[in-house]
Amino acid sequence: MSWNFQVNLSGVPAASGGSRDLPEGFDTGAVIGAEPAQSSSGRTQIAIKVQVTSGEFNGIIRTTRLGVPTTPEDKVLYYWRAAFESLGYTPAQIDAGAVTVNKDVLVGRTAHFYYKPGDKDAGIYEDFKFLTPTDWNNRK
């Protein structure tokens, strides 16, 4: 199969193997993906991709992972609650009983979050926290 396309690469810097940096701060973005993944310990997680949707960093994508709860007391439930509130779900919607979590309830929603870059050389992981819109406004 043959294929071709035209592209203008004038003024475009060559990729250097890294993505554009997102500085520390409070941002909003659209959830553009949510897929199952495995942690290094074997725990099932959901990898959630968020794309910044405004300002000079518009278009930058960051991925965060939330573990799939394994018990009703699992501490990760607090993080899922923050994610759902960050994505605009109301307490009434969340507190109505068991919530089915899948790609459809995450993708396309606006997320409010705090991001702090990591330093691989120093062994520091990046920090991505979903925040409720009110908490995001107060902290920003």
Side-chain angles (χ1 to χ4, degrees):
M1 178 187 295
S2 72
W3 58 271
N4 67 64
F5 63 91
Q6 290 185 327
V7 63
N8 182 346
L9 298 175
S10 175
V12 176
S16 61
S19 62
R20 209 166 116 201
D21 290 333
L22 180 63
E24 180 175 1
F26 297 88
D27 287 295
T28 59
V31 176
I32 61 168
E35 302 296 334
Q38 293 290 317
S39 71
S40 58
S41 67
R43 182 175 183 149
T44 301
Q45 300 176 322
I46 303 300
I48 303 170
K49 290 186 179 197
V50 179
Q51 184 174 34
V52 177
T53 52
S54 64
E56 74 177 280
F57 302 103
N58 184 34
I60 292 179
I61 298 170
R62 288 295 174 263
T63 302
T64 188
R65 293 176 176 218
L66 292 178
V68 173
T70 57
T71 69
E73 297 81 29
D74 197 323
K75 301 291 188 224
V76 75
L77 291 170
Y78 298 106
Y79 299 99
W80 278 105
R81 176 69 185 229
F84 269 80
E85 288 190 20
S86 169
L87 298 175
Y89 288 98
T90 66
Q93 291 171 307
I94 299 167
D95 294 333
V99 176
T100 299
V101 182
N102 58 40
K103 190 177 201 172
D104 295 336
V105 300
L106 302 174
V107 173
R109 308 283 303 201
T110 297
H112 296 76
F113 63 94
Y114 164 78
Y115 176 79
K116 182 177 180 181
D119 182 345
K120 287 184 182 179
D121 294 335
I124 300 169
Y125 292 101
E126 67 182 14
D127 188 16
F128 184 108
K129 291 181 181 155
F130 286 107
L131 301 172
T132 68
T134 301
D135 197 20
W136 182 88
N137 268 325
N138 290 340
R139 290 182 180 198
K140 187 175 181 190

